[in-house]
Amino acid sequence: GGAGRGPAAGSDTRIGAGFPLRQDIVDPAATGAVTLSADPAVDATKPLIVLGIIDDGIAFAHRAFDGPNGRSRVDACWMQGMPGDGSGRVRFGREVTGDDIAALRATHGDDEDAIYRAAGALGGAGHEPSAIVADASHGAHTLGALAAGGDVQTRIIAVDLPPAATWDTSGYGKDMFMLAGLHYIFDRAEKLAAAYGVPALPMVIDISYGYSGGAHDGSAALEAAMGELIEARRAVAAAGFALPAGNMFVDRTHAQVSLDAGATMDPLPWRLPPDDRTSTFMELWLPPGLSPSDLEITLHGPGATFGPPGPVAATLNGAAPGRLTVTDVTWNGGVVGQLSADEGRTGRWRILAALAPTEVSLPGHAPAGLWHIAIKDTRSTGTAQSLRFWIQRDLSYGRGNTGARQSYFDEPKNRLVDPSGRVEEADTPGAATQRYGSLNGMASGAATLVVGAAQGNPDASPGFKPELYTSASQPADPAQVDLSAMVSANAGETGRLGLTARSGPRARMTGTSASSPAVGAALAKIIEAQPAGPEPTNYLDALKAANAIKPSAPKHTPRLGAGIIKDD
């Protein structure tokens, strides 16, 4: 669909997004009551730890997660998008527990397809199946990296996101599912602790997702909520939290402009590719103290390629504090999007440009081509202010086959290749488009362990370098990459080897999604060995103290952090 129509100018309603839930997967009478069983193979006198994961395509029947007695270490898995079974355990979707998995195996043996079908993971009439239906899934690989090497003392609680929530790679609409997933992991961890007769269990959580937009200062509602939940959990028991750094380093989705009072910035070119079947979003975040009333923001539609900006499509100037202001983006007499301003939780303002798909067969489509955003600072006095732009990720993911195509800042002065012909990894002096600053917009909180991806590099010390896609912050940003994991042994090897959606075969996966759970697995060993005492930081110091990190070269620190985890 297109950008959609929102509230009228001056409305108090803030911008929000969410995926509707089918009525037949909702159980309004659910109580959450469920009893988790203790695994007879577990020694409750020794440390236990919970590995929590929120992903899509969770392979809960995979034999890699079995203990020595053949019982799965997956004690609970919530399939948020699957048809309900009337059990009353979860408010929407369906849950399988360790007892359920044991019963399914007793009936279906090693036929994992039959197990998933009987468990409701393959959907049914009118329902999109979980990503587990494919030969390989994101969730199977990430859970494998997090938990496949653990012993029976490492217990697994998983959340399988709804298929539609993962198709939209912009990140809009996932918030409620992720937060509900965190609450679920904590609740089931309490029930698991009761099963083993202990007060609380330490845990490590991995969410190998992210988005490229956001304030990047920890103030986003989702980030703040996740941070508060993790900190609250740490008052009860140790809790680590790993997130990927992101994969947008060279995708030209971040820009920064410094603007003086009374000055006008050079129009920033924004390329919308043709045949994009999904909406496109660009966010402009203003620094503290600057508001839309201080700026005149103009969005120009396509003009001549690399020529001057085309006709004005929307203008925004001013917004009342605490209110949402929206204006239509128009082209050839029709509405093709919206330009809006809303004030964030900490008083920072966001300007959001939301444009309809460029696929010409869709009604109300936006024109493809080179758009421009122009800004005039209308203040008469004041210091120079830094404006940060982020284009949301817009890729076709998994089985969704959404027909998404990524837009990007197409700035001629931004150098794309270095003199040797390799992809340029340094920011071009004087260009607004910048690689540094592309960090995952979910990974700015203080509780987060931010994980990059490394590639083997035998020709240089210390033998590894950042994967080309590995995102990074600017030096002054509040969050930085903390450490990394090896994803490719060398330039000729693509991806980290891991589990597929069925027992037996293996597959490779690229991206910081492949590195984040590997760090989570290493962290779990540290916490499991020393579970006592809350940890006030993100556990980076604990990993360093355990000599679990191979140090990085100083020039790579912004993208790889302290180094790579010793997981080989």
Side-chain angles (χ1 to χ4, degrees), residues 222-279:
L222 176 60
E223 278 189 298
M226 290 193 302
E228 290 170 4
L229 288 170
I230 294 296
E231 292 297 341
R233 179 67 192 182
R234 285 178 177 171
V236 176
F241 185 26
L243 284 173
N247 308 323
M248 308 291 285
F249 189 67
V250 294
D251 288 350
R252 293 180 277 173
T253 56
H254 169 250
Q256 182 171 7
V257 173
S258 180
L259 199 58
D260 290 308
T264 300
M265 77 174 211
D266 292 336
L268 183 61
W270 178 22
R271 176 75 64 181
L272 267 64
D275 307 320
D276 182 5
R277 299 185 64 85
T278 60
S279 298

Side-chain angles (χ1 to χ4, degrees), residues 5-221:
R5 298 305 303 270
S11 167
D12 281 328
T13 304
R14 295 182 179 240
I15 291 177
F19 293 96
L21 296 172
R22 288 178 53 117
Q23 191 59 41
D24 55 355
I25 78 167
V26 177
D27 184 357
T31 63
V34 64
T35 300
L36 301 184
S37 299
D39 187 335
V42 167
D43 185 347
T45 66
K46 295 180 179 179
L48 288 117
I49 188 168
V50 169
L51 302 180
I53 188 167
I54 301 177
D55 216 295
D56 70 292
I58 299 292
F60 59 81
H62 203 292
R63 288 292 183 179
F65 308 125
D66 286 2
N69 58 353
R71 181 181 172 91
S72 176
R73 292 183 290 125
V74 179
D75 290 306
C77 177
W78 180 17
M79 297 177 288
Q80 292 183 327
M82 296 301 106
D85 59 2
S87 66
R89 297 176 183 175
V90 289
R91 184 59 59 91
F92 58 92
R94 181 181 295 208
E95 179 183 48
V96 291
T97 65
D99 287 340
D100 294 329
I101 296 171
L104 288 164
R105 284 177 169 173
T107 301
H108 301 288
D110 291 329
D111 188 342
E112 292 174 22
D113 287 312
I115 289 173
Y116 292 129
R117 185 177 298 107
L122 301 190
H127 290 269
E128 179 66 28
S130 164
I132 199 65
V133 72
D135 292 334
S137 73
H138 194 274
H141 199 287
T142 55
L143 181 56
L146 178 68
D151 59 22
V152 72
Q153 302 293 115
T154 57
R155 313 307 301 179
I156 301 167
I157 300 176
V159 176
D160 197 341
L161 293 168
T166 61
W167 297 343
D168 182 5
T169 58
S170 72
Y172 295 130
K174 289 189 181 72
D175 293 22
M176 63 164 284
F177 297 111
M178 288 188 175
L179 288 179
L182 279 176
H183 281 287
Y184 172 84
I185 291 172
F186 295 150
D187 179 80
R188 293 315 189 248
E190 291 179 2
K191 289 177 167 58
L192 197 60
Y196 289 106
V198 296
L201 292 173
M203 64 173 58
V204 171
I205 296 173
D206 179 82
I207 304 178
S208 286
Y209 276 100
Y211 47 76
S212 51
H216 288 74
D217 62 2
S219 67

Side-chain angles (χ1 to χ4, degrees), residues 137-419:
S137 73
H138 194 274
H141 199 287
T142 55
L143 181 56
L146 178 68
D151 59 22
V152 72
Q153 302 293 115
T154 57
R155 313 307 301 179
I156 301 167
I157 300 176
V159 176
D160 197 341
L161 293 168
T166 61
W167 297 343
D168 182 5
T169 58
S170 72
Y172 295 130
K174 289 189 181 72
D175 293 22
M176 63 164 284
F177 297 111
M178 288 188 175
L179 288 179
L182 279 176
H183 281 287
Y184 172 84
I185 291 172
F186 295 150
D187 179 80
R188 293 315 189 248
E190 291 179 2
K191 289 177 167 58
L192 197 60
Y196 289 106
V198 296
L201 292 173
M203 64 173 58
V204 171
I205 296 173
D206 179 82
I207 304 178
S208 286
Y209 276 100
Y211 47 76
S212 51
H216 288 74
D217 62 2
S219 67
L222 176 60
E223 278 189 298
M226 290 193 302
E228 290 170 4
L229 288 170
I230 294 296
E231 292 297 341
R233 179 67 192 182
R234 285 178 177 171
V236 176
F241 185 26
L243 284 173
N247 308 323
M248 308 291 285
F249 189 67
V250 294
D251 288 350
R252 293 180 277 173
T253 56
H254 169 250
Q256 182 171 7
V257 173
S258 180
L259 199 58
D260 290 308
T264 300
M265 77 174 211
D266 292 336
L268 183 61
W270 178 22
R271 176 75 64 181
L272 267 64
D275 307 320
D276 182 5
R277 299 185 64 85
T278 60
S279 298
T280 296
F281 304 95
M282 177 177 65
E283 298 182 6
L284 160 61
W285 283 87
L286 307 185
L290 196 68
S291 80
S293 298
D294 299 317
L295 305 172
E296 183 178 276
I297 303 163
T298 306
L299 186 63
H300 295 264
T305 301
F306 293 122
V312 172
T315 300
L316 188 66
N317 185 359
R323 300 171 73 90
L324 169 66
T325 298
V326 181
T327 185
D328 288 334
V329 178
T330 60
W331 188 259
N332 288 339
V335 176
V336 298
Q338 291 179 340
L339 187 65
S340 63
D342 64 304
E343 190 178 14
R345 298 172 63 254
T346 60
R348 286 185 63 189
W349 283 87
R350 176 183 69 165
I351 312 300
L352 174 63
L355 296 179
T358 61
E359 167 56 52
V360 296
S361 66
L362 297 177
H365 67 272
L370 195 63
W371 290 65
H372 287 81
I373 183 165
I375 299 177
K376 180 180 179 180
D377 190 328
T378 59
R379 297 173 301 157
S380 58
T381 60
T383 58
Q385 297 289 331
S386 179
L387 311 181
R388 300 284 293 272
F389 302 80
W390 285 278
I391 299 171
Q392 285 285 15
R393 190 172 178 232
D394 190 21
L395 302 173
S396 194
Y397 172 79
R399 299 185 68 254
N401 192 25
T402 58
R405 298 193 67 192
Q406 182 68 56
S407 69
Y408 53 93
F409 295 120
D410 198 359
E411 190 180 12
K413 67 174 65 174
N414 176 40
R415 191 170 70 178
L416 301 181
V417 295
D418 65 20

